[in-house]
């Protein structure tokens, strides 16, 4: 029993539970603030009451305020100004969509996030999103959960590796809770770190434990069930793969537009030389202008995704929502506002999926009988393309909608959108693979060296002059030392078998001692404890031998006879060969 408890303690199990509790509480607070903000700003002031998804009820009853559409122009600007001032005054790294900051902290900052970030991110994001700014919850809650995981690891004095894992666990827990998708949250935290189809395996279990705890806490307060409600969609006609394939390419094109528009606004905002907190206000003003004509593109927009699933929106409105949401999200978050990009992606993808589904329903009603199914698949496909996280996205949408019968078309569409969207990503802090991650540089160094054998460097071995073991020291000084540029001298017997080795440093102290010239022979000076390598050894073993006595060269001897010298291996050659291999792997990865 004691052994089991010790194992649990060493695994960090209790730490992950604590992270889950705090992430769950953070999700509860953030969701409450969003509900409160929507009631105060959009409902009470502007009289705008956007619909909610089926799994999410309004906490506050609707007010009697008449709809004042003109206020929608100015509310996002005011929210951008306030949240911008808070962010740039107290924590500039809390700007933007948050997930990128957590990804960068994982790869390049040793998993470190300042303790104030979760608090600032919570307040700033709630203000941005509830005053009409277009964004989602995953960015803020990812940074909130990741920030606490990092904070806890730092306070406990844990290693850099453990801090990275706890950061990712917090990120997955927060996302899993607020979207009611615990499995997807854990997988997302492990997958979103890389652009290639790669998972951070050691993150999955910790993130899974924390995500389950956070999800249960959140649902105890706000109710169980999925975020969206959908009919029991089924896939039973292979011919329907054709319209789904068309949908995939529509999503690829829209994803490209989304990323370019988002970072185009971001670059423009960075280039404008004004006070930083004014930039989200300007972005909010543009958001409000679009929102005046298309209120459906403001704030979260999940209720309109629910209406699309229920087939309550016409094709033209779905297209307006999709492309309007691309613009409002770019202006709201790309300008420096605080919010996520997953939520808007769900709405954009769902709207485009609904439009494609309705069009094909008109063309081939016997094949496409449920256009609402395309909304669900569109949600998954669009975000899989822009995020480079296809597997977790499939699970996300399945958990969020409670629809598991569309896994096959989701897998097809997500695979295609990912395949054709690899040149761009909404998460620019993602790295290509573990080779390019600061979290794995040391691991990868060992991995690459372990795959290379000394025999691969045989053309680079240096031939050196051998020193007979019976050569007098005086003869060595006059005939060899003064004419040689060698640093290391192998000593051999009359059969040319290696018996020892010495370096310039070994004889430097006695070079001018004439008393030993005719007394000492070279075997007396040579070190009999030879550090050598063989053609079959890997370079990881070789590098360890180089560092034992800080050697620059070591002799290479035959595998079958360790006294027969082949040549000398230079430390510099090993490092250059390694760098060459790394560059080849990088080019191959691209």
């Amino acid at each position: 029993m004691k052994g089991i408890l010790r194992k649990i303690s060493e695994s960090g199990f209790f730490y992950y539970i604590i992270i889950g509790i705090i992430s769950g509480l953070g999700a509860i607070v953030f969701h409450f603030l969003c509900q409160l903000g929507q009631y105060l700003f959009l409902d009470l002031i502007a009289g705008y009451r956007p619909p909610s998804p089926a799994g999410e009820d309004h906490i506050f009853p609707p007010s009697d305020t008449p709809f004042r559409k003109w206020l929608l122009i100015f509310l996002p600007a005011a929210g951008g100004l306030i949240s911008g001032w808070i962010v740039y005054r107290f924590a500039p790294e809390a700007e933007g969509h948050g997930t990128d900051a957590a990804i960068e902290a994982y790869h390049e900052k040793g998993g470190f996030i300042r303790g104030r970030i979760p608090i600032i991110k919570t307040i700033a994001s709630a203000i941005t999103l509830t005053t009409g700014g277009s964004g989602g919850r995953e960015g803020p809650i990812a940074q909130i959960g990741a920030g606490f995981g990092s904070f806890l690891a730092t306070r406990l004095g844990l290693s850099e590796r453990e801090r990275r894992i706890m950061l990712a666990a917090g990120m997955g827990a927060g996302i899993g809770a607020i979207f009611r998708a615990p499995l997807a949250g854990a997988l997302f935290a492990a997958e979103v770190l890389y652009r290639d189809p790669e998972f951070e395996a050691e993150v999955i279990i910790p993130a899974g434990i924390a995500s389950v705890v956070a999800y249960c806490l959140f649902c105890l307060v706000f109710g169980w069930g999925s975020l969206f409600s959908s009919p029991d969609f089924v896939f039973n006609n292979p011919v329907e793969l054709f319209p789904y394939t068309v949908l995939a390419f529509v999503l690829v094109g829209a994803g490209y537009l989304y990323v370019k528009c988002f970072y185009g606004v971001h670059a423009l905002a960075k280039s404008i030389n004004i006070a930083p907190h004014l930039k989200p206000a300007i972005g909010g003003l543009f958001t409000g202008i679009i929102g005046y004509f298309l209120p459906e593109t403001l704030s979260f927009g999940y209720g309109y995704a629910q209406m699309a699933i229920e087939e309550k929106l016409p094709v033209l409105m779905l297209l307006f929502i999709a492309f309007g949401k691309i613009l409002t999200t770019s202006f709201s978050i790309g300008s420096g506002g605080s919010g996520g990009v997953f939520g808007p992606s769900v709405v954009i993808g769902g709207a485009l999926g609904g439009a494609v589904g309705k069009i094909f329903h008109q063309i081939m009603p016997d094949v496409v009988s449920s256009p609402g199914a395309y909304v669900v698949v569109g949600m998954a496909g669009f975000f899989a393309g822009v995020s480079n996280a296809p597997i977790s996205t499939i699970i996300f949408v399945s958990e969020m909608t409670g629809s598991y019968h569309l896994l096959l078309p989701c897998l097809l569409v997500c695979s295609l959108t990912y395949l054709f969207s690899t040149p761009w990503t909404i998460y620019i802090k993602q790295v290509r693979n573990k080779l390019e991650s600061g979290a794995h540089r040391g691991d990868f160094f060992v991995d690459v060296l372990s795959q290379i054998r000394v025999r691969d460097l045989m053309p680079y071995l240096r031939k050196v002059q051998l020193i007979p073991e019976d050569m007098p020291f005086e003869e060595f000084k006059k005939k060899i030392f003064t004419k040689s540029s060698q640093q290391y001298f192998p000593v051999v017997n009359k059969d040319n078998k290696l018996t020892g080795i010495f370096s310039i440093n070994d004889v430097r102290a006695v070079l001018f001692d004439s008393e030993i010239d005719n007394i000492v022979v070279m075997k007396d000076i040579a070190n009999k404890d030879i550090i050598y390598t063989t053609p079959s050894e890997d370079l990881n073993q070789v590098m360890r031998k180089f560092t034992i006595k800080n050697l620059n060269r070591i002799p290479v001897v035959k595998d079958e006879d360790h006294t027969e010298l082949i040549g000398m291996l230079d430390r510099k050659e090993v490092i250059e060969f390694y760098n060459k291999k790394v560059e080849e792997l990088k080019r191959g990865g691209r």
Side-chain angles (χ1 to χ4, degrees):
M1 186 67 180
K2 289 182 179 179
I4 295 174
L5 291 174
R6 191 186 310 113
K7 182 67 176 176
I8 291 173
S9 177
E10 291 173 353
S11 69
F13 177 76
F14 295 113
Y15 297 153
Y16 307 140
I17 289 179
I18 294 170
I19 290 172
I21 292 171
I22 300 300
S23 297
L25 293 175
I28 291 168
V29 171
F30 183 63
H31 184 64
F32 176 80
L33 289 177
C34 288
Q35 289 275 341
L36 177 63
Q38 276 193 312
Y39 174 73
L40 292 176
F41 300 125
L42 294 181
D43 186 346
L44 206 59
I45 294 177
Y48 176 50
R49 303 171 188 89
S52 297
E56 196 170 273
D57 296 324
H58 287 294
I59 297 176
F60 302 95
S63 69
D64 297 326
T65 305
F67 186 24
R68 300 164 180 166
K69 198 174 184 181
W70 62 273
L71 281 174
L72 295 181
I73 298 175
F74 303 105
L75 269 177
L81 181 64
I82 297 169
S83 67
W85 182 84
I86 292 172
V87 166
Y88 290 106
R89 174 68 178 82
F90 298 104
E93 61 267 49
E95 72 157 314
H97 53 82
T99 306
D100 251 351
I103 293 171
E104 183 181 29
Y106 183 91
H107 290 304
E108 303 300 336
K109 297 181 179 179
F112 181 76
I113 295 177
R114 284 203 293 168
R116 69 173 65 179
I117 296 300
I119 299 171
I120 301 302
K121 193 69 179 177
T122 300
I123 297 170
S125 299
I127 292 171
T128 298
L129 300 174
T130 60
T131 53
S134 176
R137 301 169 182 166
E138 108 289 343
I141 199 63
Q143 211 166 6
I144 291 166
F148 178 75
S150 173
F151 171 79
L152 179 62
T154 301
R155 290 301 298 268
L156 292 172
L158 301 181
S159 68
E160 190 174 287
R161 172 183 169 273
E162 290 169 315
R163 185 166 60 230
R164 283 189 170 105
I165 293 173
M166 290 171 74
L167 174 149
M171 178 168 65
I175 293 173
I178 207 158
F179 285 108
R180 307 185 190 196
L183 173 58
L187 293 177
F188 181 75
E191 186 181 24
V192 76
L193 300 169
Y194 301 103
R195 294 184 69 173
D196 283 351
E198 191 160 2
F199 281 86
E200 193 64 78
E202 62 184 6
V203 164
I204 296 176
I205 299 302
I209 295 169
S211 188
V212 167
V213 174
Y215 167 78
C216 289
L217 270 179
F218 185 84
C219 290
L220 281 172
V221 176
F222 294 111
W224 302 86
S226 55
L227 183 61
F228 298 100
S229 175
S230 67
D232 193 16
F233 296 123
V234 294
F235 174 84
N236 53 20
N237 188 347
V239 178
E240 200 172 4
L241 292 177
F242 169 70
Y244 277 123
T245 302
V246 173
L247 171 61
F249 286 103
V250 170
L251 297 175
V252 169
Y256 175 81
L257 178 65
Y258 182 38
V259 172
K260 294 302 178 183
C261 186
F262 186 93
Y263 285 107
V265 171
H266 181 74
L268 181 62
K270 289 291 184 184
S271 68
I272 299 174
N273 190 23
I274 59 173
H277 62 272
L278 294 178
K279 297 175 184 180
I282 296 172
L285 181 61
F286 281 106
T287 297
I289 292 170
I290 297 169
Y292 178 81
F293 298 99
L294 279 172
E296 296 85 356
T297 63
L298 297 179
S299 197
F300 300 108
Y302 300 139
Y304 295 106
Q306 179 67 62
M307 292 176 68
I309 292 173
E310 296 168 358
E311 302 177 25
K312 293 180 179 179
L313 298 174
V315 171
L316 197 59
M317 176 55 71
L318 290 168
L319 293 174
F320 277 136
I321 289 175
F323 292 104
K325 197 73 173 169
I326 289 175
L327 293 175
T328 54
T329 305
S330 299
F331 285 126
S332 298
I333 312 303
S335 63
S338 191
V341 292
F342 174 73
S345 298
V346 165
V347 178
I348 295 165
L352 289 171
V356 171
K358 281 180 172 288
I359 291 170
F360 274 103
H361 179 65
Q362 295 295 322
I363 298 171
M364 40 181 28
D366 293 336
V367 175
V368 181
S369 57
S370 301
Y374 286 73
V375 177
V376 176
V377 176
M379 289 177 176
F382 184 80
F383 188 67
V386 299
S387 70
N388 291 308
I391 305 302
S392 57
T393 301
I394 294 172
I395 307 301
F396 246 129
V397 173
S398 296
E399 286 190 292
M400 286 169 61
T401 61
S403 180
Y404 295 92
H405 297 292
L406 296 176
L407 287 175
L408 191 147
C410 272
L411 180 59
L412 172 69
V413 173
C414 288
S415 298
L416 289 174
T417 55
Y418 170 78
L419 183 64
F420 289 99
S421 301
T422 50
W424 56 85
T425 176
I426 199 69
Y427 297 125
I428 58 173
K429 297 301 181 180
Q430 287 175 328
V431 297
R432 178 68 62 182
N433 46 44
K434 290 180 181 178
L435 168 62
E436 298 181 6
S437 170
H440 291 281
R441 283 186 187 127
D443 299 339
F444 188 77
F445 181 80
V446 173
D447 290 343
V448 173
L449 290 176
S450 298
Q451 295 173 15
I452 305 172
R453 303 290 169 181
V454 173
R455 68 171 64 93
D456 298 326
L457 280 85
M458 296 299 270
Y460 301 95
L461 295 188
R462 296 173 183 265
K463 298 297 181 183
V464 292
Q465 185 172 2
L466 304 179
I467 307 300
E469 62 181 8
D470 57 358
M471 175 183 284
F473 185 55
E474 182 181 22
E475 184 180 345
F476 168 75
K477 288 197 298 182
K478 291 179 179 179
K479 293 184 178 180
I480 298 175
F481 177 74
T482 57
K483 300 176 182 179
S484 175
S485 60
Q486 281 184 216
Q487 185 179 1
Y488 294 90
F489 295 90
V491 176
V492 296
N493 62 18
K494 61 183 178 180
D495 297 320
N496 264 6
K497 298 294 185 179
L498 186 66
T499 60
I501 191 169
F502 66 91
S503 71
I504 289 297
N505 293 331
D506 295 331
V507 300
R508 196 180 301 278
V510 294
L511 279 174
F512 304 103
D513 189 349
S514 57
E515 293 183 4
I516 67 169
D517 282 353
N518 295 313
I519 300 174
V520 173
V521 292
M522 301 316 297
K523 71 176 180 180
D524 299 327
I525 294 175
N527 188 346
K528 307 300 188 296
D529 185 16
I530 306 171
I531 298 175
Y532 59 82
T533 184
T534 64
S536 63
E537 282 193 330
D538 63 61
L539 295 195
N540 184 37
Q541 295 171 295
V542 173
M543 286 303 294
R544 288 177 182 172
K545 291 179 177 182
F546 274 127
T547 57
I548 288 174
K549 292 186 177 180
N550 195 26
L551 301 174
N552 291 322
R553 289 180 189 170
I554 58 175
V556 180
V557 298
K558 289 187 176 181
D559 282 297
E560 62 275 12
D561 185 356
H562 294 173
T563 64
E564 189 162 342
L565 182 70
I566 302 173
M568 298 290 289
L569 182 61
D570 195 296
R571 187 176 192 166
K572 181 181 176 183
E573 297 286 358
V574 172
I575 294 172
E576 288 181 354
F577 194 81
Y578 163 78
N579 289 333
K580 179 181 175 182
K581 286 293 182 183
V582 169
E583 288 302 317
E584 289 176 0
L585 286 170
K586 282 184 179 180
R587 289 194 294 271
R590 296 189 182 109

